[in-house]
Amino acid sequence: MTTMLHNPFYTAEVQGAYDMHSLGRFELEEGAVIPDLQLAVATRGVLNDDKSNAILIPTWFSGTHQAWDSLYIGPGRALDPEKYFIIIVNQIGNGLSTSPHTSTDDSIAMSKFPQVRISDDVRAQEQLLREVYGIEQLALVVGGSMGAQQTWEWAVRFPEKVLRAAPIAGTAQNTAHDHLFTNTLMDAITSDPGFNGGEYETHLDVASGLARHADIWAVMGLSPEFWNTEFWREDGPMSEGEPPFVSFDDFQARFVRPLFQMMDPNALLTMGWKWQRGDVARGTGGDLGSALARITAKTFVMPIDHDMFFLVTDCAKEQALIANSELRVLHSVAGHFGLNGFEKSFIDEVDANLRELLAAPVNGNDGVA
Amino acid sequence: MTTMLHNPFYTAEVQGAYDMHSLGRFELEEGAVIPDLQLAVATRGVLNDDKSNAILIPTWFSGTHQAWDSLYIGPGRALDPEKYFIIIVNQIGNGLSTSPHTSTDDSIAMSKFPQVRISDDVRAQEQLLREVYGIEQLALVVGGSMGAQQTWEWAVRFPEKVLRAAPIAGTAQNTAHDHLFTNTLMDAITSDPGFNGGEYETHLDVASGLARHADIWAVMGLSPEFWNTEFWREDGPMSEGEPPFVSFDDFQARFVRPLFQMMDPNALLTMGWKWQRGDVARGTGGDLGSALARITAKTFVMPIDHDMFFLVTDCAKEQALIANSELRVLHSVAGHFGLNGFEKSFIDEVDANLRELLAAPVNGNDGVA
């Protein structure tokens, strides 16, 4: 047995309360096995008697249930816990669900953590919903970025279970450019001598690799417009409790770098590998059109206008292949990181779109709203 | 005295013939001194009697005179050596002009090489043109990327000497986003333990840092469209003498990485530092409008549509501040690296614009064409 590393970032104190659900032995698509897969789950609201009010939210790269809970869910919002039973499932390897640094089983701890695919997460979530909650159909699946990748996989793999889908800032089939971008993020970590092939003693050993990882995120996760308009000067969630940022270097040094430096390197690499390979067409011999034609959900495809790697053009091409779908472009000067809710206007746009989607009648479910 | 490193990439055999011109002791804006500044210069054509047919081309990041000579200059082209005297000046620190790895003077060799600014290059070029060729006025200054930064500096600093200016894919004032992007390029090199604080024994010691440098270029120097349309499958300068590329990873491994792995790490860092700080407003107390108002040259501002860091929007803002100017957007799926002439259509666009610019009558010079 290996000793798990302690990292205070991945605690209920920092991320908010969650429950752990064991799925037992879980076979991964790549062939490896997680001896006891545990999913970290946060729920809001109450499941109604006919189990028709369930909404699933899978998490994004580096994130946990916390972002969705604090930014997108609340009474009077589209994701209203007074109407819906909302289940946020932390993705495998994100630091809360079974992850490299928390595994004590020698076969999967640290550098031995197996390669996990988006489809593994989706299969695990389907099992969780069925076994723990008896949920056979979802009023909505919604997620951002890697959460969008999981949303796509849900809608294609279990079309009969997904009445509505809202993939935000993420594609059904990852692009070559996005794959190369993710390589640079991962290489920033693995090239740090402190990474030690994944066998570091604390994530602090990899502080400089994590800082370079953060520096690449600054270029591609935010946007030219964010930096060039000095958006970081705005009051908002970035500046809470901080003295004002005085320069872009200062913002980078006091906000973006420290954020990623709190995280676990192996967790980021597990998620990065998974992200690079998101592809709903793996089940249809590589034919994206056939895969997307399986979708029966009413689908709002929601890219962000300034996103540098999940591009509006790429999302629009996919949306055009789905029968019951609409393209809803979101607006954020923060680009992909707009998901973090730096702008109230962005959150309001998401809210308005989800409200409309949830109100739309779909086959077998007329909308709870 | 330090021994200079031998790197075969920086030779006339690889880059084509050039002359070295000594400017003697050269004081840099940041305060340091280059004891004997040598500029590597290639010329084409013949200077006419009234010295009215001179065209200056400063070089871009990582490049030399070779790219311009092979791609953009030739009989019947806009840059026609039968009409013009064309002077291509390699920028300071590019590996051919005075550079870290070729300096034998202990005060500037390798890690001690001083910080050089765009304005240092432009002042050195002005001295060169005056002292060596007796040239007091240029029919055109044209350059791409960092060559565009130098073109801007020329037009602002020596307005009376620049009749026409064509900054291609580069801004007059570098942006915060571009600065942060360049940080990631430089950090890929300096974080390689083989870099050894700039005191490596051969550039091969830094092969892995240079590979990561190249990987970041692949994401930002090329474009999503380049990768996602598999443009690398096209016949062209990329595939010459190579077996066909079979995947984007293969293209990256056999084309982009080997290209940057031939280069000198300190040279790239010298140029990177300089690039980050390109700013014509340094002479006008930070007022970009005042700086650009100094320009009297007929100016074609020529950004590339898919460029990820010298954005069309940023170039258009600057162009709007110049009296006698036009915005001419170039088209290349290769993004910023379109400058390397992967597409004949791109080269033709540059040619047509330069032809028109050179034919335009300007104060004191009616166009040689």
Side-chain angles (χ1 to χ4, degrees):
Chain A
M1 295 288 277
T2 308
T3 313
M4 67 176 271
L5 300 192
H6 179 66
N7 180 328
F9 184 69
Y10 302 107
T11 56
E13 288 69 40
V14 172
Q15 301 298 339
Y18 58 90
D19 299 317
M20 287 299 258
H21 291 286
S22 169
L23 298 190
R25 175 187 159 87
F26 194 86
E27 294 186 8
L28 299 166
E29 266 200 45
E30 291 293 301
V33 168
I34 295 181
D36 178 21
L37 176 60
Q38 308 250 347
L39 293 183
V41 180
T43 66
R44 298 292 175 265
V46 179
L47 186 60
N48 61 10
D49 289 343
D50 62 359
K51 304 190 172 184
S52 64
N53 72 335
I55 292 177
L56 174 69
I57 307 178
T59 62
W60 59 60
F61 179 88
S62 85
T64 70
H65 59 281
Q66 195 270 339
W68 278 92
D69 191 37
S70 63
L71 291 170
Y72 293 98
I73 296 174
R77 309 286 295 278
L79 301 176
D80 188 340
E82 294 175 1
K83 286 187 199 167
Y84 296 102
F85 180 57
I86 301 164
I87 311 120
I88 319 175
V89 184
N90 289 275
Q91 65 167 294
I92 301 169
N94 84 325
L96 293 182
S97 291
T98 298
S99 292
H101 84 281
T102 56
S103 290
T104 53
D105 187 303
D106 285 340
S107 69
I108 62 167
M110 297 295 281
S111 68
K112 298 195 198 72
F113 202 77
Q115 293 166 337
V116 182
R117 285 191 174 272
I118 293 287
S119 46
D120 292 319
D121 276 283
V122 169
R123 287 188 302 111
Q125 289 158 15
E126 192 273 343
Q127 184 182 338
L128 172 91
L129 294 183
R130 202 166 16 87
E131 293 182 355
V132 176
Y133 307 102
I135 294 170
E136 294 286 350
Q137 202 169 51
L138 290 158
L140 170 68
V141 183
V142 55
S145 196
M146 287 187 73
Q149 291 183 305
Q150 293 166 75
T151 300
W152 283 113
E153 183 72 22
W154 260 99
V156 169
R157 183 175 281 257
F158 300 114
E160 74 288 356
K161 296 199 167 198
V162 183
L163 294 176
R164 298 176 191 82
I168 303 177
T171 52
Q173 185 173 61
N174 202 24
T175 66
H177 179 259
D178 194 319
H179 188 106
L180 289 163
F181 160 52
T182 313
N183 273 350
T184 68
L185 287 172
M186 296 168 77
D187 288 349
I189 292 172
T190 57
S191 63
D192 184 337
F195 177 66
N196 189 29
E199 296 295 332
Y200 45 87
E201 291 185 13
T202 152
H203 67 287
L204 302 173
D205 293 347
V206 198
S208 105
L210 290 170
R212 284 185 282 115
H213 178 94
D215 286 354
I216 296 173
W217 269 120
V219 176
M220 291 288 292
L222 292 159
S223 79
E225 296 72 17
F226 175 88
W227 293 108
N228 298 346
T229 61
E230 303 193 344
F231 186 87
W232 43 264
R233 289 193 193 275
E234 304 272 322
D235 287 332
M238 298 172 294
S239 54
E240 245 170 61
E242 292 281 339
F245 298 109
V246 298
S247 68
F248 66 84
D249 276 334
D250 184 42
F251 177 73
Q252 187 59 15
R254 287 201 286 128
F255 185 83
V256 184
R257 274 189 213 132
L259 178 65
F260 284 100
Q261 284 180 315
M262 289 188 281
M263 299 180 187
D264 182 71
N266 284 323
L268 295 176
L269 294 172
T270 298
M271 289 184 276
W273 191 94
K274 190 196 292 183
W275 162 12
Q276 290 183 299
R277 289 160 183 83
D279 182 3
V280 296
R282 296 183 72 243
T284 52
D287 182 340
L288 182 61
S290 296
L292 295 177
R294 289 176 49 85
I295 298 177
T296 52
K298 167 92 175 161
T299 304
F300 280 7
V301 177
M302 297 160 69
I304 301 173
D305 56 354
H306 286 292
D307 200 315
M308 307 259 301
F309 49 97
F310 285 124
L311 302 179
V312 171
T313 48
D314 293 324
C315 294
K317 277 181 216 155
E318 295 181 338
Q319 181 267 322
L321 298 171
I322 305 163
N324 192 11
S325 72
E326 292 181 38
L327 184 71
R328 299 290 178 105
V329 177
L330 304 171
H331 303 86
S332 172
V333 78
H336 193 74
F337 279 8
L339 286 169
N340 294 297
F342 297 154
E343 297 140 299
K344 181 170 182 306
S345 58
F346 178 85
I347 298 289
D348 288 346
E349 279 185 37
V350 172
D351 220 48
N353 280 298
L354 293 183
R355 194 182 301 272
E356 186 179 337
L357 181 58
L358 282 163
V362 293
N363 183 31
N365 181 313
D366 285 341
V368 178
Chain B
M1 296 286 277
T2 307
T3 313
M4 66 176 272
L5 300 193
H6 179 66
N7 180 330
F9 184 69
Y10 301 107
T11 57
E13 288 70 40
V14 172
Q15 301 298 341
Y18 58 90
D19 300 317
M20 287 298 257
H21 291 286
S22 169
L23 299 190
R25 177 186 158 88
F26 195 87
E27 294 187 8
L28 299 166
E29 267 201 44
E30 292 293 302
V33 168
I34 295 180
D36 179 19
L37 176 60
Q38 309 250 347
L39 294 183
V41 180
T43 66
R44 298 292 176 264
V46 178
L47 187 60
N48 61 11
D49 290 343
D50 62 358
K51 304 190 174 184
S52 65
N53 71 336
I55 292 177
L56 173 70
I57 308 178
T59 61
W60 59 60
F61 178 88
S62 86
T64 70
H65 59 281
Q66 195 270 339
W68 279 92
D69 191 37
S70 63
L71 291 170
Y72 294 98
I73 297 174
R77 310 284 296 276
L79 302 177
D80 189 340
E82 293 174 2
K83 288 188 197 165
Y84 296 103
F85 180 57
I86 302 164
I87 311 120
I88 320 175
V89 184
N90 289 276
Q91 65 168 297
I92 301 168
N94 84 327
L96 293 181
S97 292
T98 298
S99 294
H101 84 281
T102 58
S103 291
T104 53
D105 188 304
D106 286 340
S107 70
I108 62 165
M110 298 295 281
S111 68
K112 298 195 198 70
F113 202 78
Q115 291 166 337
V116 182
R117 285 190 175 271
I118 293 287
S119 46
D120 292 319
D121 275 283
V122 169
R123 288 187 304 109
Q125 289 159 15
E126 192 273 341
Q127 185 182 338
L128 171 92
L129 294 182
R130 201 163 20 84
E131 294 183 353
V132 177
Y133 307 103
I135 294 171
E136 294 286 350
Q137 203 169 49
L138 291 158
L140 170 69
V141 183
V142 55
S145 196
M146 287 186 73
Q149 291 183 305
Q150 293 166 75
T151 300
W152 283 113
E153 183 71 24
W154 260 99
V156 169
R157 183 175 282 257
F158 301 115
E160 73 290 354
K161 297 201 167 198
V162 183
L163 294 176
R164 299 176 191 81
I168 304 177
T171 51
Q173 185 173 59
N174 203 24
T175 65
H177 179 259
D178 194 319
H179 188 106
L180 289 163
F181 161 51
T182 314
N183 273 351
T184 67
L185 288 172
M186 297 169 76
D187 288 348
I189 292 172
T190 57
S191 62
D192 184 338
F195 177 67
N196 190 29
E199 296 294 334
Y200 46 86
E201 291 185 12
T202 153
H203 67 287
L204 302 173
D205 293 348
V206 198
S208 104
L210 290 170
R212 283 185 282 115
H213 178 95
D215 286 354
I216 295 173
W217 269 120
V219 176
M220 291 286 292
L222 291 159
S223 78
E225 295 71 18
F226 175 88
W227 293 108
N228 299 345
T229 62
E230 303 195 343
F231 186 87
W232 43 265
R233 290 194 193 274
E234 304 272 323
D235 286 333
M238 297 173 294
S239 55
E240 244 170 61
E242 292 282 338
F245 299 109
V246 298
S247 68
F248 65 84
D249 276 335
D250 184 41
F251 178 73
Q252 186 60 15
R254 286 201 286 130
F255 185 81
V256 183
R257 275 189 212 131
L259 178 65
F260 284 100
Q261 284 181 314
M262 290 187 282
M263 299 179 187
D264 182 71
N266 283 324
L268 295 176
L269 294 172
T270 298
M271 290 184 275
W273 191 93
K274 191 197 292 182
W275 162 14
Q276 290 183 301
R277 289 158 184 82
D279 182 3
V280 296
R282 297 183 71 245
T284 52
D287 183 339
L288 182 62
S290 297
L292 294 178
R294 288 177 50 83
I295 298 178
T296 53
K298 166 92 175 162
T299 304
F300 280 8
V301 177
M302 297 160 69
I304 301 174
D305 55 355
H306 286 291
D307 200 315
M308 308 258 302
F309 50 96
F310 284 123
L311 302 179
V312 171
T313 47
D314 293 325
C315 294
K317 275 181 217 154
E318 294 182 339
Q319 181 268 323
L321 298 171
I322 306 163
N324 193 11
S325 71
E326 293 181 37
L327 183 71
R328 299 289 178 109
V329 178
L330 304 172
H331 303 86
S332 173
V333 77
H336 193 74
F337 279 8
L339 286 169
N340 293 298
F342 297 154
E343 296 140 301
K344 182 170 181 307
S345 58
F346 178 84
I347 299 289
D348 289 346
E349 279 185 37
V350 173
D351 220 47
N353 280 299
L354 293 183
R355 193 182 303 273
E356 186 179 337
L357 181 58
L358 281 163
V362 293
N363 183 31
N365 180 314
D366 284 343
V368 178

